[in-house]
Amino acid sequence: MKLKDTDIVFEKCTAEHLDDICALQESAFEHIDNPDLLRRNSREMLLSCLVEHCTLGAFYNGQLIAFAVLYDGGDTDENIGFDIGLSGDAVKDVINMKLIIVSPEYRGNGLQGKLMARLEAVAVEKGKKLICATVSPLNSFSCNNFIKSGYAFHSTKEKYGGLLRSIYVKRI
């Protein structure tokens, strides 16, 4: 469904949105041919993203139609800074664009890019210098969106229990 920009409301999601976020993730998995294109996050991980990190939602008529997560992995293996060879204080400058899901019926409205741009502004406010993301190399749509949004391909690495992922990096 094609929407006007004025039809979409972007707002920070809270724990109250957990059921909608889980449902949207499941809908995405139902509409992809290869489940390895997307990393399934547990309900607990999604709740953590809502409470401890920044999850931004796109809403149409009060319904969540897309969301994206900006995740500060700190000194854990969730920080993609380690995957690009950073260490020490340099890793603290990295934040992850962890997850972006758009409802299948609302694809084609540029929601992935619009969510990314808004979360990049949040990362700048947090004093971060790099945003990193992992994308399945088979997910050409998302790979192209990251490149279009100014991210550079860095490398390909096995992550998340054996899934092959391309790593993209953007200096902000």
Side-chain angles (χ1 to χ4, degrees):
M1 169 185 272
K2 205 67 169 146
L3 301 174
K4 293 183 254 174
D5 284 349
T6 55
D7 293 336
I8 304 164
V9 175
F10 294 93
E11 64 183 50
K12 189 170 188 224
C13 295
T14 68
E16 293 177 8
H17 295 104
L18 180 60
D19 288 340
D20 293 334
I21 284 175
C22 289
L24 192 52
Q25 177 179 248
E26 290 312 305
S27 176
F29 274 100
E30 290 170 7
H31 288 88
I32 57 176
D33 295 330
N34 181 349
D36 290 345
L37 292 178
L38 188 60
R39 176 185 179 192
R40 178 177 265 118
N41 287 273
S42 69
R43 185 175 179 85
E44 293 75 24
M45 174 57 82
L46 292 171
L47 179 60
S48 169
C49 292
L50 288 163
V51 174
E52 300 169 25
H53 302 278
C54 183
T55 302
L56 185 65
F59 296 83
Y60 172 65
N61 287 338
Q63 175 190 354
L64 181 70
I65 61 171
F67 71 92
V69 176
L70 188 66
Y71 190 94
D72 191 341
D75 61 358
T76 72
D77 62 356
E78 283 289 324
N79 189 327
I80 303 168
F82 291 114
D83 296 311
I84 62 171
L86 299 179
S87 60
D89 286 343
V91 174
K92 295 176 186 174
D93 292 334
V94 177
I95 199 160
N96 303 348
M97 191 71 69
K98 182 175 178 64
L99 177 64
I100 304 167
I101 295 182
V102 177
S103 172
E105 64 192 274
Y106 293 99
R107 291 182 183 151
N109 284 289
L111 292 171
Q112 184 176 23
K114 291 170 185 172
L115 286 163
M116 288 167 58
R118 284 167 173 79
L119 287 177
E120 288 167 9
V122 171
V124 168
E125 289 172 16
K126 291 181 176 287
K128 299 300 181 176
K129 296 185 172 103
L130 290 174
I131 298 184
C132 295
T134 62
V135 181
S136 167
L138 302 175
N139 190 340
S140 58
F141 180 77
S142 286
C143 291
N144 290 335
N145 277 342
F146 273 96
I147 290 169
K148 190 167 78 174
S149 295
Y151 289 73
F153 172 80
H154 182 277
S155 56
T156 301
K157 184 173 182 171
E158 203 172 276
K159 302 259 312 158
Y160 318 124
L163 298 174
L164 197 59
R165 291 295 184 252
S166 296
I167 298 174
Y168 289 88
V169 180
K170 182 175 183 176
R171 183 162 298 284
I172 51 172

